[in-house]
Amino acid sequence: MKNSSNRKDKTMTIGIIGAGNIGIAFAQALTKAGIAATIANSRGPDSLQELVGKLGPTIEAGTREAAASADIVLVAVNWSKLPSALAGLPAWNGRIVIDANNPIEAPLFKPAELDGRTSSEIVADLVPGARLVKAFNHLQSHLVSGNPRSEGGRRVLFYSGDDTGAKAEVAGLIERLGFFGLDLGPLAIGARLVQFPGGPLPTHNLVKFG
């Protein structure tokens, strides 16, 4: 596995699995920063042509396999559909997965039964061999796609993970998008703090000054 220092001269590719509110908001944030990405859903790239036309030239529609082959892959899928969305993909081989999922979904908004585990632990089981970072799940989608400069400061995006190099890559991406990234530590701590429902942080829209 290459470490981040060996990738300094390499443009990190980005994939998005899930074209719901968070996936689209993340794509919009990338577009504003001029960052390219491939977005995919369960219905195939043809179903996304109208969306990518609105998002702009840096975002292209692709298959799940194409999106999953990127260096950094944000996953934001309805909780009940996660297993099928991540099934049958190529080996992750140390690539970074951003877990932007919450264990709840419309229309009932009934919390999923996690048997005492964090949702990120369950997602990690679905992407064996990936380096998982929890991020982009605690803010409402319009805040992810909106102006990261707020009230004279920068809107805070929390992230957590067990791989230092993976967190550094995600922190760099958060910085490029204009947000202030705040490291919450390992998944066992940070993922539980930002998990919705249950965690104390998703209810807050924080701004970093100075």
Side-chain angles (χ1 to χ4, degrees), residues 87-159:
L89 294 174
W92 290 97
N93 292 331
R95 296 194 310 283
I96 298 169
V97 168
I98 298 176
D99 171 21
N101 303 281
N102 286 311
I104 193 169
E105 62 184 78
L108 299 179
F109 295 103
K110 180 181 178 181
E113 179 53 62
L114 304 179
D115 296 323
R117 307 175 77 199
T118 67
S119 61
S120 286
E121 288 177 295
I122 295 172
V123 175
D125 286 346
L126 298 173
V127 290
R131 296 181 293 156
L132 194 78
V133 177
K134 185 73 172 181
F136 292 96
N137 74 297
H138 71 280
L139 286 179
Q140 293 180 325
S141 57
H142 73 276
L143 297 176
V144 174
S145 62
N147 187 351
R149 301 283 176 177
S150 179
E151 304 296 332
R154 284 193 293 164
R155 185 165 283 115
V156 173
L157 273 176
F158 301 112
Y159 64 95

Side-chain angles (χ1 to χ4, degrees), residues 132-135 158-162 167 182-187 190-191 194:
L132 194 78
V133 177
K134 185 73 172 181
F158 301 112
Y159 64 95
S160 58
D162 298 330
K167 285 201 296 184
L182 188 59
D183 185 356
L184 297 179
L187 284 173
V194 297

